[in-house]
């Protein structure tokens, strides 16, 4: 191998993504989203939570969701990762016509390393994740897989979060 073949090692960041679906074969949409992300050359899925069935929040006149969280490592920037999440949603038929409405798949970047951003298209950490049991329960589960320190403070938010009774284990993934 010559020096021209060497690729510089890029630092990987750990990011956490919340996934949800409440149209059609919900489990298949979640599984397909994880598979599509894993197939990306610069994204590795390194952990995933169990699946949780959750009551809808916001627009409650719709079917229940399946929710989960995954941990990925990536060399993509937060903006590039967001673009890949949106592309994955498009590939799985996501239509954005009703805010908080029914959807085949919803992918939300919850955290990206220690990055804090407030842009029109991306706020990190996710601005409402601390209020939502359907996000916190799977996120804490995936954080605890690798003993991440962020799990402890999020548990305190979960104690105060509304809607815990509307989140039930649907399928254990580990």
């Amino acid at each position: 191998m010559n020096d021209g073949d060497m690729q510089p090692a890029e630092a990987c960041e750990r990011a956490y993504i919340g996934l949800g679906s409440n149209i059609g074969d919900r489990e298949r949409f979640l599984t397909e989203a994880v598979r599509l992300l894993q197939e990306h050359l610069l994204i590795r899925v390194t952990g995933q939570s169990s699946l949780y069935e959750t009551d809808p929040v916001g627009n409650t006149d719709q079917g229940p969701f399946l929710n989960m969280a995954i941990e990925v490592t990536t060399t993509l920037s937060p903006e590039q990762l967001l673009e890949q999440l949106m592309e994955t949603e498009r590939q799985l038929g996501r239509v954005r016509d009703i805010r908080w409405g029914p959807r085949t798949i919803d992918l939300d970047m919850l955290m990206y390393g220690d990055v804090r951003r407030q842009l029109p298209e991306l706020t990190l950490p996710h601005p409402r994740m601390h209020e939502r049991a359907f996000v916190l329960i799977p996120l804490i589960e995936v954080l605890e897989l690798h003993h991440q320190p962020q799990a402890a403070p999020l548990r305190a938010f979960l104690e105060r979060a509304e809607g815990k009774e509307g989140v039930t284990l649907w399928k254990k993934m580990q």
Side-chain angles (χ1 to χ4, degrees), residues 58-117:
N59 177 2
T60 57
D61 188 23
Q62 57 184 315
F65 281 82
L66 281 187
N67 289 101
M68 67 183 296
I70 61 172
E71 175 188 82
V72 301
T73 56
T74 185
T75 55
L76 296 174
S77 70
E79 294 80 8
Q80 291 169 323
L81 181 56
L82 177 63
E83 182 53 41
Q84 189 56 48
L85 297 179
M86 293 175 74
E87 176 57 28
T88 301
E89 287 182 347
R90 281 190 290 275
Q91 289 176 359
L92 294 175
R94 169 78 189 260
V95 177
R96 294 176 184 271
D97 54 356
I98 302 171
R99 183 172 179 149
W100 296 319
R103 60 206 84 156
T104 56
I105 192 71
D106 184 33
L107 302 174
D108 288 323
M109 193 179 329
L110 304 173
M111 298 185 296
Y112 182 99
D114 294 327
V115 171
R116 296 195 173 282
R117 290 249 165 79

Side-chain angles (χ1 to χ4, degrees), residues 89-154:
E89 287 182 347
R90 281 190 290 275
Q91 289 176 359
L92 294 175
R94 169 78 189 260
V95 177
R96 294 176 184 271
D97 54 356
I98 302 171
R99 183 172 179 149
W100 296 319
R103 60 206 84 156
T104 56
I105 192 71
D106 184 33
L107 302 174
D108 288 323
M109 193 179 329
L110 304 173
M111 298 185 296
Y112 182 99
D114 294 327
V115 171
R116 296 195 173 282
R117 290 249 165 79
Q118 187 146 1
L119 305 170
E121 66 280 356
L122 178 63
T123 301
L124 289 171
H126 191 286
R128 291 176 302 281
M129 73 176 183
H130 299 88
E131 305 163 2
R132 298 175 169 174
F134 70 88
V135 173
L136 289 170
I137 291 170
L139 177 59
I140 291 167
E141 181 183 330
V142 79
L143 283 165
E144 289 178 342
L145 289 175
H146 296 112
H147 309 286
Q148 296 299 317
Q150 302 98 316
L154 290 177

